[in-house]
Amino acid sequence: MLRVILSKPLSAPAKFFPMKLPSSSPWLALLPFFTVIAFCYATGEFYPFSKFPMYSKFEEKTYIVYLADRTGKPVPTLDFGIFASDLKKHYGDGLDELKKDLKGSHYTWTAEQKAPAAREALRFLRDERAPQAFTDGRNAHLTLMDVRIYWKDGHLAKVEEPVASLDQITAKSTNP
Amino acid sequence: MKSLFRNHLGNISYEDWEWRWMRLLFAPVIWLATFPTLRFWVVDLPNTIDREEPNGLGMLVPLEWLGQPVPTALCALAIAILLIFYVLGKGLPWVTTGLAVLHAAAGSLLYSPRGHHHSAQLVGMVLMGQSAWFLYHAWRKRSRKAGDSPRESATGAVFWSQQMIAAAYVVSAISKWVNSGGGWIPGWRWVQQTPNIVVQFEKNHLQSFYDSLQTPPETLNRGVMEWFGDHPWAAMLCIAPGFYLELFAFLGLFNRVAAALMGVALILLHVFIALLMHLEFRYFMATDLIFLVNLPYWIATLVQIRSINGTTATA
C-alpha cells in the first residue's frame, strides 16, 4: 500500500502555472515567502508578524517572580488574573527601564536597586489588572519575590529574595 | 520514495474540495485564536494597550475602544458572520481581508505588550496570506491574466497559506541563529547552548506552580531535565533537530508528501515542546495539520487506492 501511495504521482504538476508570474522560474512563486520573512525582520514585532525570538538563546541563568503574603507564603498569581510568566515580563520591563540609570546586569543588583521595578509590577496588579482583589485591605501586604536560577557545574542553584511589598506603595489616588 | 524528493514547487494543484475542507476546519481556529472561548455570550478583549510597547495595528491607531463590551460584541458578531461566508466560500477577497484586519486588531489588544506572547501569530499570518492571494487573484481576473477556475483559486490560497507557515518557522530559526551568536554554521551556537535549557525547564516548572500553587502534572519534564543535566550531549542531540526542522520548513512546499511529512514533524515538535516545557502552541499545530498534513486529501487518496485495488482484484 505504501509503495502505491509513494509511487502515485500525488504531486502531479498542474496543467497551468498557478502564479503566472512574469518568469518561468518556480522560485519566483516563493515571493510571498521571502516577502514575509523580510517583513518580519523589518518590523521585528507587528502582530501577527514576528521574529519569534522566544528561546532564541539559552543562558546559564534566568529568573522568575512569584507573589507572597506578609508571612512569605506563596499566593497564586491567578488570584490576580495573571500568569506568573506575564508578571515576570512586567517586572522584566521595569528592570530594563532601570538599566538606563544603573550599571551592569540586574543579576548583580541588590533588592533595593530592583525594588522600583517590583513596585511598578505590584502597582499594575492593584490598580489595573485586579483592583477587586485588593478591596477590604485584602492582599495589602502582597510581596513580590525574585527568584534567580543558575546552572553551574551540572547543578541548579536558586537564590530568592523579597524585592518590594505593596504596603510600600501609596494607594491609588482618587479624584473627588 | 522518489515522490518525496520531487520538486513541484509552485506547481501543485489543489482541488476546490480540499480548500473547502481547509476553510471548514480553519474557521474555528480563527475564532478561537481571536476570542479564546466558544461561548459567544462571554467574548472578551482587553481594553488596555501597553502604550510603551504597543503591538500591531495598536502601534498605528488607538484601539483600546475595541476592548469595550459593545465594540467587542460587534467585532465578534462581524467575525462570526465573516466566518460563515468564509466557510461558504463567498466573496473571499473581502471576507479574508475583513477577517485578517479584525483578527489583527483584536490581536494587537490580546498580544500587547509587544513580544510577550506568540501563540496565535501563525493564524493571523495565514489569514494575511489568504487575503493577499485573493486580492491579487481578483486583480488578475479583472485584468484577464487568470481564468475563473475554482481549482486555480484554491491552489493559490493553499500555496500562499503554506508559504506563510513555512516563513514563520524559518524566521524563528533565523532568530535562533542570529540571537545565539551567529556563526558560519547555521544554529551551531544555539545547539551548543542547549544544555542550558535545564534552567528554562526549571523556570517553566516553577512558573506553572506559582500560577495556582498546584504542582504541574508530571510529564517528561522532570525526568528529562535531570537526564539532560547529566548528559549535555543528549540535550544537544535531542533539541538540535528542532532547529533544523524549522530552518528547512520550506522543503514542505516542494510536493504533497513533503508537506504532509513536514506537517507531522512540526506537530511532533510542538508536542515535544509541550511535554518538556509546558508550552502549548495549539493554534500552530492546528494550522500545520490543516494546511500541511491535509488529512482529507490523504483519506480520499487511500479510499481511491482501495477502490482501484478492489476493482483490479475483481477483474
Side-chain angles (χ1 to χ4, degrees), chain B residues 204-241:
Chain B
N204 290 338
H205 191 78
L206 287 175
Q207 285 187 153
S208 295
F209 172 75
Y210 287 122
D211 283 343
S212 59
L213 301 188
Q214 303 287 318
T215 305
E218 275 303 322
T219 60
L220 287 172
N221 190 325
R222 180 65 57 180
V224 173
M225 185 179 82
E226 287 167 3
W227 189 58
F228 281 173
D230 294 337
H231 305 89
W233 277 101
M236 292 164 77
L237 281 173
C238 288
I239 298 168

Side-chain angles (χ1 to χ4, degrees), chain B residues 124-147:
Chain B
M125 287 174 72
V126 167
L127 273 175
M128 290 281 179
Q130 291 178 3
S131 163
W133 161 255
F134 280 110
L135 291 175
Y136 171 57
H137 190 54
W139 171 79
R140 291 167 69 226
K141 281 197 287 189
R142 185 171 291 182
S143 51
R144 298 178 189 278
K145 290 181 180 175

Side-chain angles (χ1 to χ4, degrees), chain B residues 11-196:
Chain B
N11 286 327
I12 307 169
S13 192
Y14 289 93
E15 299 295 333
D16 190 44
W17 66 265
E18 290 177 80
W19 170 229
R20 280 203 300 271
W21 268 104
M22 287 176 180
R23 292 200 311 268
L24 180 68
L25 296 169
F26 195 47
V29 178
I30 297 169
W31 174 268
L32 286 170
T34 315
F35 302 103
T37 176
L38 283 173
R39 294 181 298 164
F40 297 88
W41 56 96
V42 292
V43 289
D44 187 28
L45 286 174
N47 57 10
T48 56
I49 288 179
D50 187 322
R51 276 290 142 208
E52 290 183 5
E53 292 183 279
N55 198 354
L57 293 174
M59 295 164 79
L60 307 177
V61 287
L63 278 173
E64 287 86 344
W65 58 270
L66 191 59
Q68 299 298 328
V70 173
T72 299
L74 290 174
C75 175
L77 182 66
I79 287 181
I81 293 169
L82 286 171
L83 283 177
I84 292 169
F85 280 92
Y86 181 75
V87 171
L88 295 173
K90 303 287 182 195
L92 285 175
W94 308 114
V95 166
T96 50
T97 303
L99 283 171
V101 171
L102 287 175
H103 174 79
S108 66
L109 289 167
L110 284 164
Y111 300 98
S112 166
R114 184 167 68 238
H116 277 204
H117 290 284
H118 296 92
S119 58
Q121 268 79 351
L122 194 59
V123 175
M125 287 174 72
V126 167
L127 273 175
M128 290 281 179
Q130 291 178 3
S131 163
W133 161 255
F134 280 110
L135 291 175
Y136 171 57
H137 190 54
W139 171 79
R140 291 167 69 226
K141 281 197 287 189
R142 185 171 291 182
S143 51
R144 298 178 189 278
K145 290 181 180 175
D148 206 13
S149 148
R151 180 193 276 178
E152 187 168 352
S153 174
T155 295
V158 177
F159 185 48
W160 283 39
S161 301
Q162 291 175 336
Q163 289 192 62
M164 296 300 112
I165 297 171
Y169 285 105
V170 172
V171 163
S172 174
I174 295 173
S175 290
K176 290 182 175 73
W177 182 9
V178 172
N179 294 352
S180 61
W184 287 103
I185 304 174
W188 174 239
R189 291 198 174 142
W190 185 81
V191 172
Q192 282 180 310
Q193 293 171 7
T194 52
N196 295 338

Side-chain angles (χ1 to χ4, degrees), chain A residues 1-11, chain B residues 15 17-18 256-257 293-309:
Chain A
M1 173 79 72
L2 188 64
R3 194 188 303 166
V4 176
I5 293 172
L6 292 175
S7 62
K8 188 172 179 277
L10 297 173
S11 312
Chain B
E15 299 295 333
W17 66 265
E18 290 177 80
R256 282 181 179 271
V257 178
V293 180
N294 189 10
L295 272 178
Y297 170 81
W298 292 102
I299 293 168
T301 304
L302 280 175
V303 170
Q304 196 180 13
I305 290 167
R306 285 178 74 93
S307 115
I308 291 168
N309 285 349

Side-chain angles (χ1 to χ4, degrees), chain A residues 3 5 7 17 29 45 48 86 99 113 153:
Chain A
R3 194 188 303 166
I5 293 172
S7 62
F17 181 54
E45 197 75 42
D86 288 334
K99 281 181 183 170
Q113 288 174 308
D153 302 328

